[in-house]
Amino acid sequence: MKRRDFVGLTGLATGALFLPNFPSLGGTPVDPARLLEPGLDVAQKKRLADAGLNAAKAAGATYADVRIGRYLNQSIFTREKQVQNLASGESFGAGVRVLANGTWGFAATNDVSDAGLAKAAQLAVQMAKANSKVQKEKVQLAPQKGYGEVSWKTPIQQNAFEVPIKQKVDLLLAANAAALDNGASFVNSALFQINEQKYFASTDGSYIDQDVHRIWPTFSVTAIDKATGKFRSRDALSAPMGLGYEYLTPKAADQIAGAAGTGLIGYKNSYDILADAALAAKQVKEKLTAKSVVPGKYDLVLDPNHLGLTIHESIGHPLELDRVLGYEANFAGTSFATIDKWKTGNFQYGSKQVNIVADKLQPGSLGAVGYDDEGVQTKRWNLIKNGVLVNYEKIRDQAHIVGQKASDGCCYADSWSSVQFQRMPNVSLQPGTAKMSVDDMIKGVEKGIYIAGRGSYSIDQQRYNFQFGGQVFYAIEKGKITGMLEDVAYQANTQEFWGSLAAVCDASEYRLFGTFNDGKGQPSQSSAVSHGSATARFNGVNVINTARKLG
């Protein structure tokens, strides 16, 4: 698409660039057409990276890597019949990480020139040498071969930035209209689009060029009972994905029927925002008169769009090795899954149905890349096998701590200006091997609750005791859905909960949940990660009523 053609279709964006208090995904505000302009070519990036690497070695570094990053994003926000905000952003610069005297040093610059990279490298070495005076143990890096000049790109079909803004706005407003036509009192919707153009080079001999795309359409629908003032909301059941704009072209083959009697639809690699918005409006009206749950023990049937958050908080975070070691304690503490438990070889994390894999490969997932941010080719590995803890998530300077010789390829920085560190890969529950649909699963439940969508949650400082809510809840009685419930949350500890996993539906039910904004570190960094599962059944879980008052 030519620049002038694109600009001709984006007139509404011009004024929005300069609105005050404008929410965005960061970066310097730019004209939307800027998002389609090419960045540096690979030869230019290699020359610049070599300038940084050579300067680092000359200053005394024994290892160095350079990351040149161009981070592009666009956010569109609407409410009812209006466009609220539109932001396009760009951030461009380079970060240099070095090892000198066995200690890390890091510096970043927005002066992406030979001189700028050399200066940043020299500063990084100075920092490493200064830090080495208080370093107790030298950094030990797992060996890593160089890959030469390689590239990787998210296999998208349509770049979201190439789609005219008017077309994207019209889709969001149509979703709003679908919700309002079906009884919603209020609705807002948004579309987030990200492109990370990342170049990595290291003294190991790797020159890696990657082009990463992500997208997230979402909304929130609210209904109000004007007589009582009571209101209820339901968010979109979409998932942020590592896909292009094709995700917003719904395909029947990507739609999975939820439990009979709920009207819910699960989505794989494409999403029908219009149908979901219409259903959400009907469900929020139903929530206004839904029966409040009676506290007690229930068998829970958890939809993947709900279970993903529980996986994230109770498995994904506790198995980050830096959290296990106590190096990372921000954002809800360390981990109960300590190394002494793993070393026994038989620490029971859950039932035999619990098979959890980590990966940075799944097509369509948020975590999918070819290489991580320290030049390690990505892979898939087991974390929990038949309920037993078998491994952690680790990077190059952690592998030796658990007696291993290689990184898992899950090092990431959220910007060229941030230092890379260990981040959660995709962490997923494997589907069952026996043929089983959600309706088959529910047939065997005498007294239970079916839960879909993510809600509020809390978890303790060891990632052990927790509470999770959801978006919609349905009572199960004698193998059938009997009606909607309200005020539901379940409480458990991690081992108790995963020990109660009794069954997982088959692979035809498998789909991804995701989050664009997984926070970690101090200063905080944000990463995007997916969690896959099929619908799963957990027996005898404690359910509380969140509307009950004490006294």
Side-chain angles (χ1 to χ4, degrees):
M1 180 182 292
K2 293 181 179 179
R3 185 178 191 277
R4 65 184 180 186
D5 296 332
F6 183 82
V7 173
L9 294 169
T10 60
L12 65 90
T14 306
L17 287 171
F18 305 104
L19 289 175
N21 301 316
F22 201 82
S24 75
L25 293 169
T28 302
V30 296
D31 186 285
R34 171 69 180 165
L35 304 179
L36 289 175
E37 293 179 2
L40 300 175
D41 65 34
V42 174
Q44 290 173 305
K45 288 185 277 193
K46 184 177 186 298
R47 190 199 76 239
L48 290 163
D50 280 336
L53 295 177
N54 291 335
K57 289 187 290 185
T62 54
Y63 167 84
D65 57 49
V66 172
R67 291 179 298 108
I68 300 172
R70 184 180 183 223
Y71 295 77
L72 308 174
N73 65 75
Q74 185 179 88
S75 307
I76 303 172
F77 301 87
T78 73
R79 178 170 177 174
E80 284 87 56
K81 299 179 181 181
Q82 295 83 35
V83 178
Q84 283 189 303
N85 291 316
L86 189 152
S88 298
E90 177 181 18
S91 179
F92 178 56
V96 183
R97 186 181 66 155
V98 304
L99 265 182
N101 294 348
T103 307
W104 285 121
F106 176 78
T109 180
N110 60 4
D111 178 5
V112 188
S113 65
D114 288 4
L117 267 292
K119 184 177 179 180
Q122 291 161 359
L123 180 57
V125 173
Q126 290 173 20
M127 289 184 175
K129 289 179 176 179
N131 290 340
S132 71
K133 295 176 182 178
V134 294
Q135 179 95 356
K136 293 181 179 179
E137 294 182 11
K138 290 187 175 183
V139 171
Q140 296 182 46
L141 278 187
Q144 179 58 50
K145 71 173 185 178
Y147 293 104
E149 296 186 46
V150 293
S151 64
W152 185 91
K153 181 176 182 178
T154 305
I156 63 172
Q157 297 173 28
Q158 186 174 22
N159 186 340
F161 296 148
E162 293 179 353
V163 177
I165 289 177
K166 183 179 184 303
Q167 181 178 333
K168 291 182 277 194
V169 166
D170 286 348
L171 180 62
L172 293 181
L173 293 178
N176 295 354
L180 294 169
D181 290 346
N182 283 277
S185 304
F186 301 102
V187 56
N188 55 65
S189 58
L191 178 62
F192 302 96
Q193 307 136 83
I194 287 178
N195 176 210
E196 296 181 354
Q197 299 172 8
K198 303 163 67 169
Y199 189 82
F200 173 91
S202 74
T203 51
D204 288 327
S206 288
Y207 295 89
I208 302 168
D209 193 48
Q210 299 193 91
D211 187 22
V212 182
H213 292 258
R214 304 186 185 104
I215 191 166
W216 181 27
T218 188
F219 62 75
S220 183
V221 170
T222 300
I224 298 176
D225 183 334
K226 294 181 180 179
T228 64
K230 182 179 180 180
F231 66 92
R232 290 293 181 265
S233 299
R234 202 268 258 176
D235 295 342
L237 297 180
S238 59
M241 299 288 284
L243 294 170
Y245 198 76
E246 68 274 7
Y247 181 56
L248 283 162
T249 302
K251 300 179 180 65
D254 287 329
Q255 298 179 13
I256 301 170
T262 66
L264 290 167
I265 298 292
Y267 297 96
K268 288 192 172 183
N269 294 318
S270 64
Y271 173 58
D272 191 339
I273 191 172
L274 303 183
D276 194 23
L279 176 61
K282 296 173 185 177
Q283 288 179 327
V284 290
K285 289 194 298 179
E286 190 178 357
K287 289 172 78 170
L288 288 170
T289 57
K291 178 182 175 182
S292 190
V293 70
V294 176
K297 298 282 188 179
Y298 291 84
D299 293 350
L300 302 182
V301 178
L302 304 182
D303 182 89
N305 199 281
H306 168 84
L307 185 56
L309 182 61
T310 310
I311 292 170
H312 180 92
E313 300 295 344
S314 66
I315 296 179
H317 277 309
L319 299 188
E320 294 170 313
L321 187 55
D322 56 354
R323 199 177 294 278
V324 171
L325 296 167
Y327 298 167
E328 164 64 33
N330 203 1
F331 290 100
T334 55
S335 173
F336 78 95
T338 49
I339 288 180
D340 59 313
K341 295 183 176 73
W342 165 72
K343 282 183 175 178
T344 67
N346 59 9
F347 178 68
Q348 207 69 34
Y349 210 101
S351 71
K352 290 185 178 180
Q353 281 68 40
V354 181
N355 289 289
I356 300 287
V357 299
D359 85 278
K360 297 280 288 181
L361 302 171
Q362 258 186 101
S365 70
L366 295 171
V369 291
Y371 305 83
D372 77 350
D373 281 354
E374 53 182 6
V376 178
Q377 191 167 29
T378 52
K379 66 176 185 178
R380 181 180 189 270
W381 72 101
N382 291 320
L383 293 174
I384 300 171
K385 185 72 173 173
N386 298 326
V388 175
L389 175 64
V390 296
N391 213 334
Y392 294 108
E393 308 151 26
K394 70 197 80 68
I395 58 175
R396 289 186 68 184
D397 63 2
Q398 299 171 338
H400 73 280
I401 298 171
V402 288
Q404 296 179 17
K405 297 182 178 180
S407 165
D408 292 323
C410 53
C411 194
Y412 176 79
D414 66 357
S415 166
W416 54 268
S417 60
S418 301
V419 67
Q420 60 268 56
F421 72 127
Q422 195 272 309
R423 296 309 308 263
M424 191 189 305
N426 301 318
V427 174
S428 302
L429 173 66
Q430 295 306 281
T433 55
K435 184 174 178 59
M436 181 183 291
S437 69
V438 62
D439 289 332
D440 293 334
M441 179 174 283
I442 286 174
K443 285 177 184 176
V445 176
E446 185 70 15
K447 175 190 173 187
I449 302 174
Y450 177 72
I451 304 178
R454 64 175 289 172
S456 62
Y457 72 96
S458 65
I459 192 164
D460 72 12
Q461 295 295 305
Q462 295 295 307
R463 296 276 163 178
Y464 197 62
N465 298 290
F466 59 68
Q467 174 178 312
F468 286 90
Q471 289 289 318
V472 289
F473 315 92
Y474 291 89
I476 304 170
E477 298 174 5
K478 297 181 180 180
K480 292 184 178 180
I481 297 288
T482 58
M484 185 176 279
L485 292 172
E486 265 287 89
D487 310 318
V488 177
Y490 57 89
Q491 293 179 327
N493 68 54
T494 297
Q495 283 181 279
E496 176 184 84
F497 176 78
W498 288 104
S500 74
L501 179 62
V504 186
C505 288
D506 63 44
S508 66
E509 265 268 332
Y510 183 92
R511 51 197 185 274
L512 294 172
F513 164 96
T515 174
F516 250 35
N517 301 298
D518 176 31
K520 184 181 176 184
Q522 201 166 8
S524 177
Q525 291 192 41
S526 181
S527 72
V529 62
S530 294
H531 303 290
S533 73
T535 303
R537 172 179 170 176
F538 297 80
N539 287 346
V541 180
N542 187 49
V543 169
I544 64 169
N545 184 309
T546 58
R548 285 197 306 169
K549 296 180 180 179
L550 297 176

